[in-house]
Amino acid sequence: MSWLFVLRSTRPDSTQDAISQLISTTFDNSDSESSQSQNSESSFSNRAILVNTKTQTPDIPKCNTDTTKSNDNNNSIIVINNNKVVLKVFMYDLPSEFHFGLLDWKGNEKGKIVWPDMKTNVPHYPGGLNLQHSIEYWLTLDILASEFPETYPNNARTVIRVKNSSDADVIFVPFFSSLTYNRYSKTGPREKRSRNKVLQEKLVRYLMSQEEWKRSGGRDHLILAHHPNSMLDARMKLWPATFILSDFGRYPPNIANVEKDVIAPYKHVVGSYVDDQSTFDSRQTLLYFQGAIYRKDGGYARQELFYLLKDEKDVHFSFGSVQKGGVRKSTDGMRSSKFCLNIAGDTPSSNRLFDAIASHCVPVIISDQIELPYEDVLDYSEFCIFVRTRDALKKKFLINFMRSIGKDEWTRMWNRLKEVEKFFEFQFPSKEGDAVQMIWQAVS
C-alpha cells in the first residue's frame, strides 16, 4: 500500500486506473486468503492431530541467506548455507560492569580495557539454571571472536564486528541482562535499589546519549532480554530496538512482537545425547515430566495434568529441581522416555523443550501461546506434537492420544530430532548451523 500511494502521489494522471485496479485486486486477494485461513482453522480444530508431513517450501524471509530443503526418504532436511551472509555489527564498548564484570572478570584499573583477551582468557559462564538464559554471553563472544580470524577460523562465520557504526547493519548492546536479573535482582541490606535496577537505569541513560540511538531512535539496536523478568524497568523506554527473547509472555504487544523481535532457544541444561542407539521399545516410559508442578499465570495446566496422569503406569510425572542431582535424574528420565511433556508454566516457553530435543525425547507441547525459534525455517510438526490445552485437560484424552502413536511415527520424529538438534547447540567458537549462527540469521 505504501508503494501504491507513492505512485499515486508522483504520477497522478497516468497511473490512477492501474492503481485502482491494483488496490481492488489486493483487497480481493486478501479477503480470499482470509476465507481460506478460516476454513483451514475449522478443518483442523484439534491441533493435536499428527500430520503426515510432506516436503514443503517454508516461508523464508528475503535476506542474503541460501536456505534450501532436500528430500531424503520422503523427509525434508534443512540445509543452511550461511556463506553469503556477513552481518556487520557495531558493538558499544560498555564498561565491564554491564557484561563480563558480572562474571567476576576485571578490566584494567582505568577502565580502558573493557573486553577480555580472547586469545588467552575467555571468562567462564556459571552453570546450573543460569546457563539456560546465557544467550547474551555466546553472542558477545561470537562478535569478539570475529576480530581474530587467525585464532578462531570459521569459514561459515555470519557476523563481523565493525568499528564505525555507520558501516553497521545492527548496533549490538552487550548487556548481560539475564545474568544481572539472576544474580542481582534482590536488594541488599544497605541498598535502596537492587544492582539490577541501577544497571538498567545506567544503560538507558547511556543509550539515550549516544549518536547511534539518536540517529535511528533505537530501531537498529539489538538488545538481549532472554530471561522473562530481565529488563523489566528499561524495556518500556527501549522498545523501538529489536529484542532477543525467549517468548512474549510478559510483554505487551506494542513493546515486543513477532514483527520486530527475535525468539531464541534456551540453552539446554541436560547434556547432549551422543551416539543415541535407543529404540521405541527400549524407551520404556511413555510420557515424562519432571519439574515445578504448581505455577502461577498460565501454569494451571501443570497441576491439572498431574492429577490426570499421576496414576498411569507408563507415565512419569513428578516434582523436580536442579538440587540433589535433579539434572542427572532428568537426563536419565528423558533418555529413557518416548515423549516428554512441555507444559506452559509462568510463561509460554520453558527450557524443558530444549532439554527434550537434546535427549531425543519427542516433545509434546501444551502451550497455546508459545512462539518457537526459527519458525520461518524449521517445521516443528516434524519432530514435536502440539496439543491444545483445552483438549489435554479432558479426561483420558492425552494418555489415549499418546498411546495411539505407533512405532513408525515415533521413529520418524526421533530421527528428525537427531537431525535438528545442532540448531539448538550454543558453543564457542560457533559452528555452521548452530544456535549462535541461527540467531544471527534470524536477526539478518
Side-chain angles (χ1 to χ4, degrees), residues 293 295-305 344-345 389 393:
I293 295 174
R295 307 300 288 180
K296 55 189 176 183
D297 298 332
Y300 74 95
R302 288 192 184 183
Q303 62 192 69
E304 295 297 319
L305 284 167
T389 302
L393 297 183

Side-chain angles (χ1 to χ4, degrees), residues 15-32:
T15 60
Q16 281 297 327
D17 293 339
I19 290 172
S20 298
Q21 184 178 358
L22 278 170
I23 293 175
S24 175
T25 304
T26 299
F27 283 103
D28 287 344
N29 290 340
S30 176
D31 292 340
S32 175

Side-chain angles (χ1 to χ4, degrees), residues 44-296:
F44 297 96
S45 58
N46 184 0
R47 251 185 110 192
I49 297 174
L50 275 174
V51 178
N52 184 14
T53 307
K54 297 180 180 179
T55 303
Q56 297 177 343
T57 302
D59 183 16
I60 300 171
K62 294 179 179 179
C63 62
N64 294 326
T65 305
D66 181 15
T67 308
T68 59
K69 274 191 168 186
S70 63
N71 196 25
D72 182 18
N73 295 329
N74 293 324
N75 288 326
S76 53
I77 300 174
I78 304 295
V79 180
I80 299 176
N81 180 0
N82 288 321
N83 292 330
K84 296 181 181 179
V85 175
V86 178
L87 188 69
K88 292 177 288 185
V89 175
F90 175 83
M91 182 165 66
Y92 287 117
D93 284 321
L94 282 172
S96 60
E97 64 175 333
F98 288 97
H99 42 84
F100 288 105
L102 297 166
L103 300 174
D104 300 323
W105 175 84
K106 300 185 185 301
N108 66 346
E109 295 180 358
K110 297 181 180 180
K112 292 183 178 180
I113 299 177
V114 298
W115 303 112
D117 186 345
M118 297 297 293
K119 296 181 179 180
T120 61
N121 182 24
V122 177
H124 177 71
Y125 199 88
L129 286 179
N130 284 301
L131 274 175
Q132 60 182 333
H133 297 295
S134 58
I135 287 78
E136 53 213 13
Y137 169 79
W138 304 104
L139 294 185
T140 303
L141 285 182
D142 202 48
I143 295 172
L144 292 172
S146 72
E147 298 183 277
F148 304 99
E150 70 285 356
T151 305
Y152 302 105
N154 192 334
N155 293 330
R157 184 166 302 286
T158 55
V159 66
I160 186 169
R161 188 182 185 188
V162 296
K163 297 298 185 180
N164 191 332
S165 62
S166 61
D167 296 331
D169 300 311
V170 67
I171 312 296
F172 186 83
V173 181
F175 178 39
F176 290 5
S177 60
S178 296
L179 187 63
T180 305
Y181 173 79
N182 280 331
R183 284 192 161 183
Y184 303 110
S185 58
K186 294 182 179 180
T187 304
R190 297 183 181 181
E191 295 177 331
K192 293 183 178 180
R193 293 171 301 159
S194 68
R195 186 177 176 185
N196 178 40
K197 285 181 177 289
V198 170
L199 283 176
Q200 289 183 62
E201 292 170 2
K202 293 174 70 172
L203 179 69
V204 170
R205 289 197 300 269
Y206 176 90
L207 291 177
M208 296 298 179
S209 68
Q210 301 303 306
E211 289 302 319
E212 289 81 7
W213 185 276
K214 295 176 182 177
R215 186 169 61 215
S216 68
R219 286 184 295 274
D220 57 358
H221 282 53
L222 191 64
I223 296 175
L224 292 92
H226 199 259
H227 192 291
N229 291 328
S230 62
M231 299 293 285
L232 279 175
D233 300 287
R235 64 178 62 167
M236 301 299 287
K237 297 177 181 178
L238 302 179
W239 66 267
T242 294
F243 293 134
I244 295 185
L245 309 170
S246 57
D247 59 47
F248 299 120
R250 294 187 177 169
Y251 284 78
N254 61 317
I255 300 299
N257 56 73
V258 74
E259 296 296 327
K260 78 174 185 71
D261 301 308
V262 173
I263 298 297
Y266 294 62
K267 186 185 188 307
H268 56 81
V269 176
V270 305
S272 299
Y273 197 173
V274 180
D275 194 27
D276 178 9
Q277 300 296 323
S278 59
T279 64
F280 182 81
D281 296 321
S282 70
R283 291 182 176 239
Q284 297 184 359
T285 301
L286 175 69
L287 195 56
Y288 183 89
F289 177 90
Q290 185 161 309
I293 295 174
Y294 301 99
R295 307 300 288 180
K296 55 189 176 183

Side-chain angles (χ1 to χ4, degrees), residues 289-296 299 301-303 306 317-322 343-346 352:
F289 177 90
Q290 185 161 309
I293 295 174
Y294 301 99
R295 307 300 288 180
K296 55 189 176 183
R302 288 192 184 183
Q303 62 192 69
F306 171 71
F317 200 124
S318 69
F319 175 83
S321 67
V322 295
I343 316 167
D346 295 344
R352 193 167 288 99

Side-chain angles (χ1 to χ4, degrees), residues 4 7-21:
L4 292 174
L7 288 170
R8 173 177 286 178
S9 64
T10 55
R11 299 185 62 187
D13 297 327
S14 60
T15 60
Q16 281 297 327
D17 293 339
I19 290 172
S20 298
Q21 184 178 358

